[in-house]
């Protein structure tokens, strides 16, 4: 027994010595690391800054790549009629703006592609001269047919009946020339977006405002009768808040059917008749508020689930935030040392060098913020009547997607409060102003209290009388059934 105790003590002492030496070695190692860092702190600070910068740059490149993938998805997955739905103030208008910018880039590349294809086929033509003549015809406001005839008369263009193409057997030289003129006209116009007068849309790619849209041009039968059709190829038509059109509500489907204005026909043939260069985008708070005979023709229905702004350039953002804090610190110290408490607010409200310096920092922060990315989590539906339904194991209604768009494509291009003028007009015509609705300390008078009580009691009595009448009728009916002399039980008896 004594040998066992002695052996156990030796083992405990060995373990204790080992732990003591191990902890001392860890402490010495940590102390050496601290001393080394203290001696080379500038190097470690530089390494930390470089690593943070590389990580921030990696995230920025990732979001740029996702923006390119979103543009590819819009070009290949979306149709020519796009229906955006979401609750109030959840990003319908901003997404419409972002999609219009992406489609603007798509149309510009498409127009340049058509021009390059024509140049590769009509190799015997001098396109320097042809381009100058097209610009002259554009300035003279000639239409497509007049411009094509002018080119044929003034150029040695080898026009044959049909182009030998193994894919498109109906392709002709004249059609290629027409497509070349249309594409050239769209590039010369440099304006691809139509929108209503109350939604002045600004395009950051082209640097100009939208073309004013007359929506009767989309009503093909009315446009034919009125001889007024303004929609050109390579165009994007924006219509915000479709639900505000009272004549197109679901409750008035009979009226829409009687009018037969040709709008549904426009939605049916927009891809074919528009040569796959015309897009129509509209928004609504509820998908089924729009009349079904027209909304069911929308090829792409999108439900916006979430919108988030993702900042980029975090390295520069942290640096500017630090600079701002330093300026504010010295600003506070300078005010406290120079002015007494009563005069500090007077100095703060006056122009000074600290406020100017802070303004420059804020301006740089806003410029950096403009490089941000907007992420939309959306559900993509092929059937508009399925909007709002969730996927199950047995039924797949939608495709969940994430759309990444540059912030400048989405924000600041359309006035998101464009209908504020309605309330402004109501305030102008109102005979009661805000000064007539200040703090009201008056309490209810006895007569007003009595009137409220009487109204409540009268309503209660009415409902009680109606319920008692119903019960009385039920009792009478049951009594008549029991005492019916012509019932089967009475006959049997």
């Amino acid at each position: 027994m004594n040998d066992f105790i002695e052996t156990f003590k030796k083992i405990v002492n060995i373990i204790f010595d080992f732990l003591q030496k191990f902890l001392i070695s860890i402490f010495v190692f940590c102390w050496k690391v601290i001393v080394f860092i203290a001696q080379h702190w500038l190097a470690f600070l530089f390494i930390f800054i470089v690593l943070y910068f590389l990580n921030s740059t990696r995230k920025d490149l990732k979001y740029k790549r996702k923006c390119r993938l979103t543009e590819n998805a819009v070009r290949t997955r979306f149709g020519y009629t796009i229906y955006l739905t979401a609750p109030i103030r959840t990003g319908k208008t901003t997404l419409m703006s972002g999609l219009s910018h992406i489609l603007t880039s798509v149309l510009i590349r498409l127009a340049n592609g058509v021009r390059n294809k024509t140049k590769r086929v009509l190799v015997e033509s001098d396109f320097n001269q042809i381009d100058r003549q097209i610009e002259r015809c554009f300035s003279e406001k000639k239409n497509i047919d007049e411009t094509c005839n002018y080119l044929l008369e003034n150029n040695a263009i080898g026009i044959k009946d049909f182009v030998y193409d193994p894919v498109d057997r109906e392709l002709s030289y004249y059609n290629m020339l027409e497509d070349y003129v249309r594409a050239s006209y769209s590039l010369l116009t440099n304006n691809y977006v139509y929108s209503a007068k109350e939604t002045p849309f600004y395009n950051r790619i082209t640097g100009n405002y939208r073309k004013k849209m007359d929506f009767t041009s989309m009503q093909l039968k009315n446009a034919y009768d009125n001889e007024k059709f303004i929609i050109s190829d390579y165009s994007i038509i924006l219509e915000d808040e479709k639900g505000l059109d009272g004549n197109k509500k679901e409750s008035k489907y009979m009226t829409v059917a009687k009018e037969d204005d040709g709008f549904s026909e426009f939605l049916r043939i927009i891809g074919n008749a528009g040569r796959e260069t015309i897009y129509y985008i509209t928004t609504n708070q509820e998908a089924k508020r729009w009349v079904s005979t027209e909304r069911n023709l929308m090829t792409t229905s999108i439900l916006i689930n979430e919108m988030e702004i993702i900042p980029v350039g975090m390295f520069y953002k942290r640096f500017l935030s630090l600079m701002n804090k330093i300026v504010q610190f010295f600003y506070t110290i300078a005010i406290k040392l120079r002015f007494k408490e009563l005069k500090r607010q007077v100095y703060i409200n006056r122009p000074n060098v600290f406020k100017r310096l802070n303004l420059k920092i804020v301006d740089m922060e806003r410029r950096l913020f403009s490089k941000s990315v907007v992420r939309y989590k959306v559900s993509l539906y092929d059937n508009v009547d399925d909007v709002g339904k969730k996927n199950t194991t047995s039924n797949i209604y939608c495709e969940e997607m994430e759309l990444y768009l540059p912030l400048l494509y989405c924000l600041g291009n359309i006035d998101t409060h464009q209908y504020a003028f309605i309330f402004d007009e109501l305030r102008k015509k109102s005979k009661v102003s805000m000064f007539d609705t200040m703090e009201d300390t008056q309490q209810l008078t006895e007569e007003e209290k009595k009137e409220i009580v009487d109204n409540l009691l009268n309503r209660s009595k009415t409902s009680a009388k109606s319920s008692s009448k119903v019960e009385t009728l039920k009792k009478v009916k049951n009594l008549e059934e029991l005492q019916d002399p012509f019932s089967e039980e009475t006959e049997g008896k």
Side-chain angles (χ1 to χ4, degrees):
M1 187 67 181
N2 293 329
D3 295 338
F4 175 76
I5 294 173
E6 291 295 330
T7 305
F8 179 76
K9 288 181 178 180
K10 289 180 181 180
I11 294 173
V12 170
N13 290 332
I14 292 171
I15 294 173
F16 182 76
D17 293 339
F18 173 78
L19 290 175
Q20 186 178 10
K21 292 179 181 179
F22 179 73
L23 292 175
I24 291 173
S25 62
I26 290 178
F27 176 77
V28 172
F29 175 77
C30 293
W31 177 254
K32 289 181 179 180
V33 170
I34 293 172
V35 172
F36 181 80
I37 293 175
Q39 292 175 349
H40 305 83
W41 66 274
L42 286 176
F44 280 97
L45 179 62
F46 176 77
I47 293 173
F48 174 78
I49 292 174
V50 170
L51 292 177
Y52 188 83
F53 173 77
L54 293 176
N55 184 49
S56 176
T57 305
R58 180 184 62 83
K59 290 182 179 180
D60 297 347
L61 294 176
K62 180 184 72 173
Y63 289 125
K64 288 183 179 179
R65 181 176 60 86
K66 289 188 175 183
C67 288
R68 290 195 296 269
L69 293 175
T70 297
E71 183 175 342
N72 182 65
V74 172
R75 187 176 67 252
T76 58
R77 181 67 178 84
F78 290 14
Y80 297 100
T81 54
I82 303 173
Y83 190 26
L84 305 178
T85 58
I88 300 174
R89 315 304 300 172
T90 51
K92 299 186 298 297
T93 304
T94 57
L95 180 56
M96 180 176 69
S97 174
L99 293 177
S100 66
H101 277 83
I102 290 179
L103 293 176
T104 298
S105 300
V106 170
L107 292 179
I108 290 174
R109 287 200 298 271
L110 182 60
N112 287 319
V114 169
R115 283 166 53 87
N116 294 331
K117 180 181 178 181
T118 306
K119 290 178 180 179
R120 289 196 300 267
V121 175
L122 301 178
V123 294
E124 300 298 331
S125 303
D126 183 4
F127 279 92
N128 292 323
Q129 181 179 352
I130 290 175
D131 289 340
R132 287 193 297 269
Q133 292 173 351
I134 290 176
E135 292 177 3
R136 187 182 304 117
C137 293
F138 179 81
S139 62
E140 296 175 358
K141 299 182 180 180
K142 293 185 179 181
N143 59 32
I144 303 297
D145 293 334
E146 293 173 347
T147 303
C148 290
N149 293 330
Y150 180 83
L151 294 177
L152 293 175
E153 293 174 357
N154 294 276
N155 294 277
I157 302 176
I159 296 294
K160 300 179 182 179
D161 292 337
F162 292 97
V163 179
Y164 176 73
D165 189 284
V167 178
D168 190 357
R169 61 182 300 272
E170 297 296 331
L171 183 63
S172 67
Y173 283 92
Y174 184 78
N175 290 339
M176 292 188 67
L177 183 62
E178 279 186 328
D179 293 339
Y180 186 87
V181 173
R182 290 191 187 92
S184 300
Y185 266 36
S186 69
L187 295 173
L188 290 171
T189 304
N190 195 34
N191 200 344
Y192 303 87
V193 179
Y194 289 97
S195 67
K197 185 177 181 180
E198 60 270 12
T199 54
F201 170 84
Y202 182 80
N203 194 312
R204 295 184 185 270
I205 296 177
T206 60
N208 49 32
Y209 282 91
R210 54 87 176 103
K211 295 183 284 188
K212 188 172 67 174
M213 178 62 184
D214 184 1
F215 287 97
T216 57
S217 296
M218 301 174 64
Q219 302 168 2
L220 299 185
K221 296 182 180 181
N222 292 338
Y224 181 77
D225 294 337
N226 300 331
E227 299 181 355
K228 187 176 181 180
F229 186 77
I230 63 173
I231 304 173
S232 58
D233 292 336
Y234 300 93
S235 296
I236 306 161
I237 304 171
L238 306 181
E239 187 175 7
D240 196 15
E241 294 295 346
K242 188 69 177 180
L244 294 179
D245 188 355
N247 297 324
K248 295 292 184 178
K249 292 183 178 180
E250 177 65 18
S251 58
K252 295 187 178 182
Y253 68 96
M254 293 296 295
T255 305
V256 174
K258 290 180 180 179
E259 288 180 355
D260 191 20
D261 54 12
F263 183 72
S264 59
E265 284 77 8
F266 173 83
L267 297 178
R268 283 190 174 92
I269 66 174
I270 182 175
N272 190 313
R275 297 180 177 86
E276 300 180 0
T277 62
I278 299 178
Y279 292 87
Y280 171 62
I281 307 176
T282 185
T283 66
N284 211 342
Q285 294 175 13
E286 296 179 7
K288 294 183 179 180
R289 184 178 296 180
W290 188 10
V291 62
S292 59
T293 55
E294 295 179 356
R295 72 168 184 262
N296 289 328
L297 298 174
M298 303 298 287
T299 54
T300 303
S301 300
I302 300 175
L303 175 64
I304 303 173
N305 300 316
E306 183 181 341
M307 171 187 171
E308 180 184 4
I309 297 178
I310 302 176
V312 298
M314 294 302 296
F315 175 79
Y316 303 103
K317 183 179 179 180
R318 299 288 185 186
F319 176 75
L320 292 174
S321 177
L322 178 62
M323 293 297 295
N324 194 10
K325 289 180 180 179
I326 292 174
V327 171
Q328 292 295 330
F329 173 76
F330 284 105
Y331 185 29
T332 304
I333 295 298
I335 290 176
K336 288 183 178 180
L337 293 177
R338 185 175 179 182
F339 301 99
K340 295 182 179 180
E341 186 174 357
L342 295 176
K343 295 183 179 181
R344 287 173 188 172
Q345 191 64 36
V346 178
Y347 180 77
I348 291 173
N349 293 329
R350 289 177 179 174
N352 55 68
V353 64
F354 292 102
K355 295 174 72 173
R356 297 187 187 97
L357 184 58
N358 183 68
L359 178 61
K360 291 182 180 180
I361 296 175
V362 171
D363 182 62
M364 288 188 287
E365 288 179 339
R366 293 294 295 175
R367 291 179 182 274
L368 182 61
F369 177 73
S370 67
K371 307 294 183 181
S372 301
V373 174
V374 183
R375 177 176 64 188
Y376 294 91
K377 292 184 178 181
V378 302
S379 301
L380 192 64
Y381 295 85
D382 291 326
N383 186 357
V384 68
D385 289 336
D386 292 335
V387 172
K389 295 181 180 179
K390 302 296 182 181
N391 292 333
T392 60
T393 55
S394 58
N395 295 316
I396 304 298
Y397 297 104
C398 62
E399 176 185 355
E400 303 294 338
M401 297 181 64
E402 287 188 355
L403 304 178
Y404 292 84
L405 297 93
L407 181 135
L408 291 180
Y409 283 8
C410 303
L411 303 182
N413 306 310
I414 298 179
D415 185 7
T416 55
H417 307 110
Q418 67 259 29
Y419 295 106
F421 67 90
I422 298 176
F423 282 7
D424 293 338
E425 188 64 24
L426 289 173
R427 293 187 186 100
K428 290 178 183 178
K429 291 189 175 183
S430 176
K431 296 180 179 180
V432 181
S433 68
M434 59 176 291
F435 301 103
D436 298 324
T437 57
M438 305 301 281
E439 182 181 4
D440 188 4
T441 58
Q442 295 182 358
Q443 302 295 326
L444 290 174
T445 62
E446 293 298 327
E447 295 181 356
E448 292 173 341
K449 292 179 181 179
K450 186 177 180 181
E451 183 179 358
I452 294 174
V453 172
D454 290 340
N455 290 333
L456 292 174
L457 292 176
N458 289 334
R459 290 176 183 174
S460 301
K461 290 178 180 178
T462 304
S463 58
K465 288 180 180 179
S466 60
S467 60
S468 61
K469 287 181 180 180
V470 172
E471 293 177 358
T472 304
L473 290 173
K474 288 183 179 180
K475 291 180 180 179
V476 171
K477 186 176 181 180
N478 294 333
L479 184 62
E480 289 177 352
E481 291 178 354
L482 292 173
Q483 297 180 355
D484 188 0
F486 298 101
S487 62
E488 294 180 357
E489 295 180 359
T490 306
E491 290 181 2
K493 291 180 181 181

